Amino acid sequence: MVELKTDTSIDAMYEAGQVVGRALTAVREAADVGASLLELDEVAHQVLREAGAGSPFLGYRPSFAPTPFPAVICASVNDAIVHGIPTGYRLRDGDLVSIDFGAELDGWVGDSAISFIVGEPRVADVRLVETAERALAAGIEAAVVGNRIGDIAHAVGTVCRAAGYGVPDGFGGHGVGRRMHEDPPVPNEGRPGRGLPLRHGMVLAIEPMLIGGGSDGFHAAPDGWTLRTDDGSRAAHIEHTVAITRTGPRILTAR
C-alpha cells in the first residue's frame, strides 16, 4: 500500500533529509587517503547524535541478511555496488567510494547516497560517477504528477544503458516515509507509461546503480550484505529522497 504524505509530513521529511545531507557532506570531507571506513561511519554517527536523530540502517535486518546491519552507513568501495559494511579498510588513492546513509527524525526517514573518488581520479571512474548523477537527475525530472513509475525507471535506465553501463536487476529505489523501505518499488529500468501513477504526496527514493564493465551480473560477498560486480569492474550508486508535488519534484535530501 502506498501512503500519500501531507504537505506537513513532507516538510518534516525535509528536516530528516537535511540531517542526511549534512552527514554525507561530512563523510565526503573526511574521506581522505588513509581514512578508514569505520572512521567514516563514526563521522556520520556523530551527525546523528548532534541532530537528535536515529539510524534506520543500524540493526536493520531484511529477510536476505544473515545478521543485523552493524553500522549507520553503507560503505561500498570499487567493485562493491551497494550494502558494503564499514570495516577497518583504509582508503587508497583512486578508490571509488559509494556511501549510503539514512536518518530518522521525529518519526520520518530520509535516505540518500553519493559516489566519489578519493585522491587522484581515473578518467573511467569520473565518467561512471557523472553518468550516475545524470541518471539520477533524469529520474527526478520524470518524477512529476501524471507520469508513472515506469517513466522514472525508463529515464534512469536510458541514461545508464546509453553510456554502456550495466544495471543490476532487482535492485533500485523505493517509497520512503515512516519506514526506510515502503511501497512502491522504483526500478532502474522500465517501460514509459507503465506502472503506478505518480500522485501528489508520494515520496520516493530514486537510486541509480551502475556497473562500469557493462555486465549486469553481481553476487553477494561472504558477509551476506555487500553486493559485488561479477566482472570485478567498479560501480557507482547515487540516491535522493524526492517528494512528488503539484509544483514538481522536491528533493528532500539536497546537499
Side-chain angles (χ1 to χ4, degrees):
M1 178 179 176
V2 177
E3 177 192 0
L4 299 179
K5 278 69 176 180
T6 65
D7 292 344
T8 300
S9 297
I10 290 172
D11 287 341
M13 292 189 69
Y14 176 83
E15 296 303 319
Q18 294 312 287
V19 177
V20 176
R22 291 197 300 273
L24 288 175
T25 298
V27 168
R28 176 66 184 92
E29 291 173 350
D32 296 324
V33 172
S36 77
L37 300 182
L38 283 172
E39 290 168 350
L40 299 186
D41 185 67
E42 177 54 30
V43 168
H45 211 154
Q46 183 59 31
V47 174
L48 288 176
R49 295 188 193 102
E50 292 171 354
S55 170
F57 286 27
L58 184 62
Y60 179 60
R61 189 178 185 181
S63 59
F64 68 80
T67 58
F69 197 76
V72 302
I73 64 170
C74 294
S76 305
V77 180
N78 296 331
D79 67 328
I81 306 168
V82 288
H83 302 163
I85 295 177
T87 66
Y89 174 85
R90 295 193 175 276
L91 296 174
R92 301 172 182 173
D93 189 48
D95 276 348
L96 197 166
V97 182
S98 297
I99 302 293
D100 193 359
F101 177 79
E104 182 177 1
L105 184 67
D106 297 328
W108 295 102
V109 173
D111 186 14
S112 185
I114 56 174
S115 286
F116 56 87
I117 301 151
V118 177
E120 187 66 27
R122 303 192 307 185
V123 172
D125 291 342
V126 172
R127 179 174 178 267
L128 179 62
V129 172
E130 288 179 344
T131 304
E133 291 171 344
R134 287 193 295 107
L136 176 59
I140 293 171
E141 186 177 359
V144 296
V145 173
N147 273 359
R148 292 175 176 267
I149 291 291
D151 294 302
I152 297 175
H154 178 73
V156 170
T158 296
V159 172
C160 299
R161 294 299 189 187
Y165 296 128
V167 179
D169 184 44
F171 287 85
H174 48 87
V176 186
R178 294 285 185 183
R179 293 175 291 109
M180 179 168 58
H181 291 131
E182 297 184 350
D183 288 332
V186 185
N188 285 325
E189 285 193 288
R191 298 176 63 182
R194 300 294 182 92
L196 193 70
L198 302 181
R199 300 170 59 191
H200 178 86
M202 292 175 66
V203 180
L204 308 174
I206 302 173
E207 50 179 318
M209 303 169 192
L210 285 66
I211 297 176
S215 166
D216 295 347
F218 62 91
H219 62 275
D223 63 25
W225 276 97
T226 309
L227 298 183
R228 296 191 178 277
T229 63
D230 279 351
D231 59 8
S233 65
R234 295 188 169 196
H237 173 213
I238 306 281
E239 177 185 18
H240 269 311
T241 297
V242 180
I244 312 298
T245 79
R246 296 183 186 89
T247 57
R250 180 184 179 188
I251 299 174
L252 304 183
T253 47
R255 295 179 285 278

